[in-house]
Amino acid sequence: MQQDELPLFSPSSNRPTSQPPSLLFRALHRVKPAWAKRYLRISSSTSPPPTLAPRLVPLGTCSINQGTLRASRWRRSAQVPPIPDTPSDNAVCNRKYNFVSFIPLVLYEQFRMFYNLFFLLVACSQFIPALRVGFFWTYFGPLIFVLLISMSKEAFDDISRFQRDNKLNQFPYTLLLRGSDPSQSHAVRIASQDIRVGDVLLLETNDRVPADCVLLRTIPSEPIHLTSSPTDAPEPSDTLFIRTDQLDGETDWKLRRAVAATQSVPRDEDILFSDCVIEAEAPKREIYDFVGTFVHPSGAKEPLTLENTLWANTVVASGRAVCVVVYNGNETRAMLNTSSPQSKVGKLDHEVNRTSKMLFLLLFSLSALLTGLRGFTGQWILYFFRYFLLLSAIIPISMRVNLDMAKIAYTTFIESDSARMPGCTVRNSNLPEELGRIEYLLTDKTGTLTQNEMSFKKLHLGTMLFARDSLEDIYHYATSAFQQDRKLLDVYSSGSVPTDNRSVQMTEDAVVSNSLSGMRTRECTSSRRAQKQVQDALLAIALAHNVTPVEDNGQRCLQAASPDEVALVKFAESVGVILKERSINRVVLRVPGEFELSYDILAEFPFTSEAKRMGVIVQNRQSKHITLYVKGADTVMSRKVRYNDWLDEECGNLAREGLRTLVYAKRELSVAEFTAFSDKWQSARTSSLNRKECMATVQSDVERDMTLLALTGVEDKLQPNVRETLEKLRHAGIRIWMLTGDKVETATCIAISSRLAERSQGIFRVTGLKSRNEASRALSRFRRQAGSDVLVVDGSSLQILLDMFPEEFIELAAAAPAAVACRCSPTQKASVVELLQKQLKKRVAAIGDGGNDVGMIQQAHAGIGIPGKEGMQASLAADFSISSFCHLTRLLLWHGRNSYRRSARLAQFVIHRGLIISIIQTVYCALFFYAAVSVYSGWILVGYATVFTMFPVFSLILDEDVSEHAADTYPELYKDLQKGRSLNLKTFLIWVFKSIYQGTMIMVFSVYVLWDDEYFTTLHLSAISFTSLILTELLMVAFEVHTWHWMMMAAEMCSLLFYAAAIFVLQDTFDQSLIFKWGFGGRVIAVTLVSCLPVTIGKWLKRKFAPASYSKLA
């Protein structure tokens, strides 16, 4: 089995909340028998983590004689202590319960619910003889049934988690151990859970990294870098690729570099005897940062950064790796980022809970009414409690079970809709009804509204602008420029190479001057200048990136963390500048003219969200030129390049076309300048204090007075059917806001092109706010146009508004037809969602595809993720995952509608089912001198809430009030759902009145209208009224159905068959000599008609004179 198949919790996964270990668990853990350690272990997140402090990690902490081999696995002796302040094992435990705590903790969770606790108290009251009013199992049977279902589900889930944990914990890895002799070493297999800090591991291709490690040595399993020819092979590589999709959700491979000192060691085993140590910082959550130092025995130090690490849950994608564990157990980045997201409860669940409280109040009122009518004399308090117990069916214990089973069914319906929504996954089965109540939709732009598939569109050089149709012109300019350079190569190859870039530049100018001798026209000079501009721009694009050419199944492909970089490198290759090799130390380019340029990478500045740029210092191997190339956002680069009069204007022009822009610049460095920089850079990289700040300062010092080379524009195409989707959602009454990290101009253009902002609507921009007064004035101006203009706000202004005027800002933004927030951080996205929820009390959905969208997805009532180019992180963190934005209409307008309407109808009938039988009991007590006795025997009461009525009522989850075509064609129907009228106080009172009327009529007609000597016995009365009750309930379900399904008919027939079978089985309850007479059937029909006919007529009149909006489409 490949390690990719191992079950893991990613940082965005819903990790179960663990409970504290029991006293018995702690006692048994001290004894430490094998079975107790295996079955009583609970989630490691419950125990407090060790002190998170920096540590010294030696390379190899154990020798072969400090453990034993058992079943081909080496196990460390219990007497060998771990490194101080580090976990003693690496076990993963995601279970909620242990062997002892399962039953008490599950029962505690179940009886926290009002329904279950209420019925527990009611059932326990039957142990008191004075309060016993019915058959014992009438009360305990339904309760035990509900608890068994819930406990079985919990047990199944927890056993599954245990099996996944055990499979991961027992997975074998190769551990390198010292031998008894200094020249000997051993490679043994060790279980993942037994790995400790300081262990040196040997990982193969496709091995999952079991703990946070530092890469010491790489051994390529097969060449993956493409080379120009067999005779020009790349230098031995100290790098390998890893896959990080299980850690950060990004699908692109990442490059990692081995420690230079250990990479040069001739054998893997020699690392164990090197006496080197690693100074590692304290464990922390940041997965994109690491500060460490590799210390040699001589005292020499080598800085360690993120590129030297292999975090837990990543996978070795190429080659073999020798690494040392620096963090394990709870201290790994994966475990520190693993948290339990907030528990989401749907609005319908709150409404049902509120309804249960009203039912409890009704139960109390009826019990008090009967007690009052009887008189507050004698043992009236005893009678009150007996009435209370007799009428307790008003509180339906099956409500929670029915709704939970319905949610599971909705989940199945959504995931099985592969024809219309391929790849849709429900990750939170508690929220399908929320999809039918959404009022605000907050969406990301890149990868959500757009495809995140970048393609080059424009290249601006200040005096020239090239588009896709000008690639041939670019190729000709580049070819001419590189052919001129080919002549220079002959000069350099002869050995007359200057030592300073400035003198080189003079020599180059002289060569150019000689090559242009005889051509004195302005046109030729301009042409040469254009060629040089194009050449510099292409070299910058081909060198300043982190793209690596690799072979995957024999096919050449480009790997990078950003699709922008891949698009630009592909553009350079389309005009002849081909990336042949990219390693940590060198870049090889094939340029027009069929020759190659090789560059040594002297320093590299990776892209960060704070820096918003990346850079690289390279040296041409032939000319010895040293050049700094930097690319980044225009807001940063405009301050680092020399004065120009075109950058800001052209950035705005490209952004208005919806293009993503990058600015390229360069600076030539002399040998002296680079030497000075290199000394400062090395000092900053090895600094123990404020390393990041020191490195940023040195980087900023060298990135000054740069020459502006080019401005690129890359297009991110819209997702399929985005315009139609947004239009339908607007017609459905859903307000749509776009929250993006892009520039104001780009986001505005996408908003217009996607029709989020209609062309007839104005655009009101709020940008550049710096103070409270400016924010106040901006809000005052927008208040006059809030109803007609789309609001566009940038990130800095948004932060001021959220800090100074959060309520007023949200109120005005909600009045706008749409809103766009640009340069928006993940925290700001989540804050906007939270404000909408708290201030407007609206149901909010959030949709995105990247890790920066996880915050708002988890904060929203319904989080929707899209797996895309940015990885799976948003999809894994979401409640629902869809493959394309256009699937949102069907998810909300069809599945959301059905889920909400069906659950509301199901809740109404469950309430009606319990309320009507309680009213019958109330009337029975009132008619028969307020006797506190049950009208029906125990077994038929158990059957009433289960096999006699359960199937028809539950089959309502198959009903469809409108057709698929109508829901899609008339999205305005969704507006009715947002009002919440399917289950509110009005509908509750309507069903209460229905139940009161029907329950009263059933009992009154059964007693008075059918009064005679033959039928009037308690046994006969029970049979007639109960049969009428069953038929009434089945008919009420039938009358409420809009679209019949064959399973609904089968449910009705099964209920009748079960009831008919009960008549034969329960002979003590049913008098068969009476039931099979024509008179019995006639009386049952008469009672049923009286109870159902007026209700049915009233329903028909309502549909006739006040039809629902959807009924008009029939």
Side-chain angles (χ1 to χ4, degrees):
M1 181 183 70
Q2 296 293 329
Q3 290 215 4
D4 286 340
E5 302 172 8
L6 288 177
L8 288 176
F9 278 97
S10 67
S12 57
S13 64
N14 294 353
R15 182 176 181 166
T17 303
S18 302
Q19 303 295 337
S22 62
L23 292 174
L24 179 58
F25 166 72
R26 291 199 291 266
L28 288 173
H29 191 71
R30 295 190 187 99
V31 181
K32 293 183 179 178
W35 68 270
K37 290 180 67 176
R38 181 177 183 183
Y39 291 103
L40 296 183
R41 188 183 188 95
I42 61 172
S43 173
S44 56
S45 64
T46 61
S47 58
T51 304
L52 300 183
R55 74 276 307 270
L56 290 176
V57 181
L59 306 188
T61 58
C62 280
S63 61
I64 188 67
N65 56 9
Q66 289 182 309
T68 57
L69 281 173
R70 296 178 183 175
S72 72
R73 303 283 179 88
W74 187 83
R75 297 200 64 177
R76 191 179 278 107
S77 174
Q79 285 72 36
V80 179
I83 293 177
D85 295 330
T86 63
S88 59
D89 61 36
N90 191 50
V92 174
C93 188
N94 295 299
R95 281 176 287 152
K96 292 175 65 176
Y97 314 102
N98 58 46
F99 187 75
V100 175
S101 67
F102 174 75
I103 292 179
L105 291 180
V106 170
L107 291 179
Y108 169 74
E109 290 295 328
Q110 291 301 313
F111 290 124
R112 289 176 60 187
M113 297 165 51
F114 173 77
Y115 288 119
N116 292 344
L117 180 60
F118 173 80
F119 270 92
L120 176 65
L121 297 176
V122 169
C124 291
S125 69
Q126 298 306 289
F127 289 109
I128 304 175
L131 297 179
R132 188 172 298 164
V133 294
F135 189 51
F136 183 79
W137 285 104
T138 302
Y139 296 93
F140 271 99
L143 178 63
I144 292 175
F145 175 74
V146 170
L147 292 178
L148 284 177
I149 291 179
S150 300
M151 293 178 70
S152 299
K153 180 179 181 297
E154 288 291 328
F156 177 80
D157 291 343
D158 217 46
I159 290 173
S160 299
R161 285 191 286 267
F162 167 74
Q163 292 173 342
R164 291 195 298 266
D165 291 345
N166 190 58
K167 185 179 295 185
L168 179 62
N169 290 332
Q170 296 300 321
F171 199 90
Y173 289 89
T174 300
L175 173 67
L176 301 181
L177 294 172
R178 297 178 181 179
S180 55
D181 189 288
S183 62
Q184 293 181 347
S185 62
H186 301 270
V188 298
R189 302 291 277 175
I190 187 174
S192 174
Q193 65 181 3
D194 296 327
I195 293 173
R196 289 183 179 179
V197 172
D199 287 349
V200 177
L201 305 177
L202 176 61
L203 304 178
E204 304 289 342
T205 303
N206 290 325
D207 273 0
R208 189 175 298 278
V209 182
D212 287 355
C213 303
V214 168
L215 180 59
L216 301 176
R217 177 178 166 85
T218 65
I219 307 158
S221 57
E222 57 181 1
I224 65 169
H225 293 291
L226 299 181
T227 59
S228 55
S229 66
T231 59
D232 189 20
E235 299 172 350
S237 176
D238 59 352
T239 62
L240 54 73
F241 283 98
I242 62 172
R243 297 196 297 271
T244 63
D245 54 300
Q246 290 292 334
L247 181 66
D248 59 9
E250 296 182 3
T251 55
D252 295 294
W253 292 6
K254 307 295 190 305
L255 199 67
R256 290 295 183 261
R257 181 182 184 182
V259 178
T262 51
Q263 178 66 29
S264 59
V265 172
R267 297 188 310 159
D268 298 341
E269 293 79 1
D270 293 341
I271 295 174
L272 302 173
F273 304 100
S274 62
D275 294 329
C276 298
V277 296
I278 291 176
E279 295 177 353
E281 63 180 343
K284 60 182 182 181
R285 300 182 60 183
E286 287 77 4
I287 62 176
Y288 299 111
D289 182 48
F290 175 71
V291 177
T293 305
F294 189 87
V295 183
H296 300 260
S298 62
K301 295 183 177 181
E302 180 179 346
L304 301 178
T305 62
L306 178 66
E307 67 180 8
N308 303 115
T309 61
L310 304 175
W311 295 146
N313 288 4
T314 60
V315 177
V316 179
S318 65
R320 300 164 65 219
V322 178
C323 56
V324 61
V325 177
V326 291
Y327 309 115
N328 70 327
N330 289 345
E331 296 183 346
T332 63
R333 294 309 203 259
M335 294 298 291
L336 291 175
N337 279 281
T338 303
S339 60
S340 300
Q342 62 173 355
S343 178
K344 296 184 181 182
V345 179
K347 190 174 184 178
L348 183 70
D349 293 316
H350 290 298
E351 293 170 344
V352 169
N353 188 56
R354 185 171 62 248
T355 301
S356 67
K357 296 175 182 177
M358 291 189 288
L359 289 173
F360 182 82
L361 181 62
L362 180 61
L363 170 61
F364 186 89
S365 301
L366 290 177
S367 302
L369 177 63
L370 288 174
T371 305
L373 292 175
R374 180 188 175 278
F376 294 99
T377 58
Q379 296 180 324
W380 65 270
I381 189 66
L382 180 62
Y383 272 88
F384 172 82
F385 280 111
R386 289 178 64 88
Y387 291 141
F388 191 89
L389 295 174
L390 285 171
L391 304 180
S392 61
I394 289 180
I395 309 294
I397 189 175
S398 60
M399 174 76 80
R400 186 75 268 150
V401 174
N402 276 275
L403 291 178
D404 287 346
M405 294 173 63
K407 293 175 190 291
I408 295 175
Y410 305 149
T411 298
T412 304
F413 297 157
I414 293 173
E415 292 184 339
S416 61
D417 193 7
S418 57
R420 302 289 296 275
M421 296 191 307
C424 182
T425 303
V426 180
R427 305 192 189 278
N428 189 343
S429 60
N430 294 325
L431 301 175
E433 298 94 345
E434 284 296 282
L435 298 174
R437 311 286 293 273
I438 300 302
E439 296 171 88
Y440 280 84
L441 174 67
L442 275 60
T443 176
D444 180 39
K445 181 185 76 68
T446 305
T448 305
L449 295 179
T450 61
Q451 297 182 24
N452 203 12
E453 291 184 359
M454 309 299 176
S455 61
F456 168 82
K457 284 298 180 182
K458 290 189 176 181
L459 174 67
H460 205 297
L461 304 180
T463 57
M464 295 179 291
L465 176 64
F466 298 97
R468 290 288 301 179
D469 54 2
S470 306
L471 293 183
E472 188 174 350
D473 295 336
I474 299 176
Y475 176 78
H476 288 316
Y477 279 125
T479 301
S480 300
F482 283 112
Q483 285 177 350
Q484 293 290 339
D485 279 0
R486 187 63 182 268
K487 299 177 181 178
L488 294 176
L489 289 178
D490 297 334
V491 176
Y492 295 132
S493 61
S494 65
S496 56
V497 182
T499 59
D500 191 288
N501 276 13
R502 293 186 177 87
S503 61
V504 169
Q505 184 65 44
M506 294 173 60
T507 303
E508 188 173 329
D509 291 341
V511 173
V512 172
S513 178
N514 292 334
S515 67
L516 296 177
S517 59
M519 296 182 293
R520 303 298 183 184
T521 63
R522 184 186 301 269
E523 291 78 5
C524 292
T525 304
S526 176
S527 176
R528 176 56 186 154
R529 186 182 300 114
Q531 294 170 8
K532 185 63 176 174
Q533 285 182 288
V534 171
Q535 181 188 34
D536 287 342
L538 291 179
L539 286 176
I541 293 172
L543 292 172
H545 57 75
N546 285 308
V547 180
T548 305
V550 300
E551 285 184 357
D552 187 10
N553 296 325
Q555 297 292 325
R556 179 182 185 274
C557 63
L558 300 176
Q559 287 289 346
S562 170
D564 300 63
E565 290 193 326
V566 175
L568 289 169
V569 171
K570 286 183 176 179
F571 153 69
E573 293 189 344
S574 69
V575 293
V577 183
I578 299 173
L579 179 65
K580 299 298 295 181
E581 180 190 337
R582 173 63 157 88
S583 68
I584 201 70
N585 297 317
R586 134 175 128 155
V587 180
V588 178
L589 303 177
R590 177 179 290 277
V591 298
E594 296 302 317
F595 68 98
E596 293 184 354
L597 298 177
S598 295
Y599 294 86
D600 291 320
I601 299 177
L602 305 181
E604 191 170 5
F605 312 129
F607 175 87
T608 64
S609 57
E610 295 83 8
K612 296 183 180 179
R613 66 189 187 279
M614 71 86 61
V616 61
I617 299 178
V618 297
Q619 182 178 35
N620 190 307
R621 287 191 173 187
Q622 289 84 4
S623 66
K624 304 303 179 183
H625 286 181
I626 300 176
T627 309
L628 165 67
Y629 290 102
V630 181
K631 70 175 180 182
D634 60 290
T635 54
V636 176
M637 297 296 294
S638 60
R639 302 191 297 266
K640 296 184 176 296
V641 299
R642 297 171 185 167
Y643 173 76
N644 63 89
D645 57 358
W646 62 271
L647 179 59
D648 291 339
E649 180 182 356
E650 295 303 330
C651 281
N653 292 336
L654 295 185
R656 279 185 286 273
E657 297 179 27
L659 303 181
R660 298 165 64 109
T661 58
L662 274 178
V663 179
Y664 284 84
K666 78 169 185 176
R667 180 189 173 195
E668 298 284 351
L669 300 177
S670 66
V671 174
E673 288 173 331
F674 175 75
T675 301
F677 158 79
S678 181
D679 294 339
K680 295 179 182 179
W681 184 245
Q682 183 66 18
S683 176
R685 293 181 65 199
T686 56
S687 174
S688 300
L689 297 175
N690 302 322
R691 179 181 295 181
K692 291 179 63 176
E693 291 77 6
C694 294
M695 293 173 64
T697 301
V698 176
Q699 179 182 349
S700 296
D701 289 342
V702 75
E703 293 174 341
R704 58 180 175 81
D705 195 30
M706 291 191 293
T707 302
L708 177 61
L709 297 179
L711 172 67
T712 60
V714 177
E715 182 187 40
D716 192 359
K717 298 179 180 178
L718 289 176
Q719 291 275 6
N721 302 317
V722 162
R723 296 186 181 93
E724 294 81 355
T725 300
L726 292 177
E727 184 176 1
K728 287 183 179 180
L729 294 178
R730 277 199 305 271
H731 286 303
I734 298 175
R735 296 290 183 92
I736 305 169
W737 291 12
M738 182 172 72
L739 311 181
T740 177
D742 272 347
K743 294 185 290 295
V744 172
E745 293 80 3
T746 304
T748 303
C749 182
I750 293 296
I752 294 174
S753 63
S754 65
R755 297 179 188 170
L756 175 63
E758 298 181 3
R759 298 190 180 275
S760 60
Q761 296 172 340
I763 302 294
F764 189 93
R765 291 181 174 85
V766 179
T767 59
L769 300 183
K770 293 182 174 57
S771 66
R772 181 186 183 94
N773 291 335
E774 290 181 358
S776 178
R777 288 194 295 269
L779 290 177
S780 298
R781 292 195 304 270
F782 181 61
R783 183 177 285 106
R784 295 189 293 268
Q785 300 171 270
S788 58
D789 286 2
V790 174
L791 175 64
V792 177
V793 58
D794 65 359
S796 59
S797 302
L798 176 64
Q799 191 60 51
I800 293 177
L801 292 170
L802 292 178
D803 292 340
M804 303 294 181
F805 308 100
E807 293 82 6
E808 186 177 1
F809 167 69
I810 290 296
E811 180 182 353
L812 290 176
V820 179
C822 314
R823 298 296 192 191
C824 202
S825 69
T827 303
Q828 289 175 330
K829 292 182 179 183
S831 299
V832 172
V833 175
E834 186 177 8
L835 273 175
L836 281 173
Q837 294 170 328
K838 291 184 177 179
Q839 183 173 339
L840 301 183
K841 308 297 182 184
K842 303 295 186 180
R843 311 311 286 178
V844 181
I847 181 170
D849 74 315
N852 60 334
D853 303 316
V854 170
M856 72 170 182
I857 285 175
Q858 292 184 336
Q859 180 65 43
H861 294 116
I864 305 168
I866 299 178
K869 295 291 183 181
E870 296 185 32
M872 293 287 293
Q873 193 169 0
S875 174
L876 294 173
D879 305 306
F880 306 89
S881 175
I882 56 179
S883 58
S884 179
F885 185 82
C886 63
H887 297 159
L888 204 56
T889 53
R890 184 165 180 83
L891 184 65
L892 299 182
L893 304 186
W894 177 244
H895 290 289
R897 176 187 187 85
N898 287 339
S899 299
Y900 170 57
R901 294 279 295 179
R902 290 165 174 174
S903 285
R905 188 62 55 85
L906 179 61
Q908 292 168 353
F909 267 93
V910 172
I911 292 172
H912 175 266
R913 185 174 60 189
L915 193 55
I916 189 174
I917 196 171
S918 298
I919 296 298
I920 290 175
Q921 179 67 56
T922 302
V923 175
Y924 177 82
C925 294
L927 292 178
F928 290 92
F929 310 102
Y930 306 104
V933 295
S934 177
V935 62
Y936 302 123
S937 64
W939 284 116
I940 63 173
L941 284 178
V942 173
Y944 173 72
T946 55
V947 294
F948 298 160
T949 60
M950 179 181 68
F951 299 119
V953 171
F954 191 73
S955 70
L956 288 171
I957 66 169
L958 302 173
D959 191 22
E960 298 175 2
D961 60 342
V962 298
S963 65
E964 294 184 32
H965 176 74
D968 184 66
T969 307
Y970 304 99
E972 293 82 2
L973 295 173
Y974 191 84
K975 295 180 180 179
D976 290 339
L977 308 181
Q978 297 170 336
K979 300 174 183 177
R981 294 175 177 173
S982 296
L983 187 64
N984 56 12
L985 180 61
K986 179 181 177 181
T987 57
F988 171 74
L989 293 177
I990 289 175
W991 281 95
V992 168
F993 291 143
K994 286 181 181 180
S995 302
I996 292 175
Y997 169 77
Q998 290 180 322
T1000 302
M1001 290 298 103
I1002 288 175
M1003 182 50 63
V1004 168
F1005 265 71
S1006 297
V1007 173
Y1008 288 103
V1009 178
L1010 305 178
W1011 186 286
D1012 58 47
D1013 294 337
E1014 181 181 2
Y1015 288 99
F1016 194 74
T1017 65
T1018 55
L1019 183 64
H1020 297 168
L1021 178 64
S1022 171
I1024 291 175
S1025 60
F1026 191 78
T1027 305
S1028 299
L1029 173 63
I1030 296 296
L1031 293 178
T1032 297
E1033 194 67 26
L1034 298 183
L1035 289 174
M1036 288 295 294
V1037 171
F1039 293 153
E1040 291 292 329
V1041 172
H1042 297 88
T1043 305
W1044 279 94
H1045 190 278
W1046 69 266
M1047 294 185 68
M1048 295 179 176
M1049 301 178 185
E1052 295 268 349
M1053 296 301 299
C1054 286
S1055 295
L1056 290 175
L1057 291 176
F1058 277 121
Y1059 185 61
I1063 293 175
F1064 290 98
V1065 174
L1066 303 177
Q1067 297 184 8
D1068 294 338
T1069 303
F1070 297 101
D1071 185 356
Q1072 297 182 12
S1073 62
L1074 169 71
I1075 289 177
F1076 294 108
K1077 292 183 179 180
W1078 289 105
F1080 176 83
R1083 289 168 172 79
V1084 168
I1085 293 174
V1087 173
T1088 304
L1089 288 176
V1090 171
S1091 66
C1092 292
L1093 194 58
V1095 174
T1096 305
I1097 293 174
K1099 187 175 183 63
W1100 180 83
L1101 291 174
K1102 182 177 182 299
R1103 288 183 175 179
K1104 181 71 174 177
F1105 297 103
S1109 57
Y1110 59 82
S1111 64
K1112 301 174 184 178
L1113 303 177

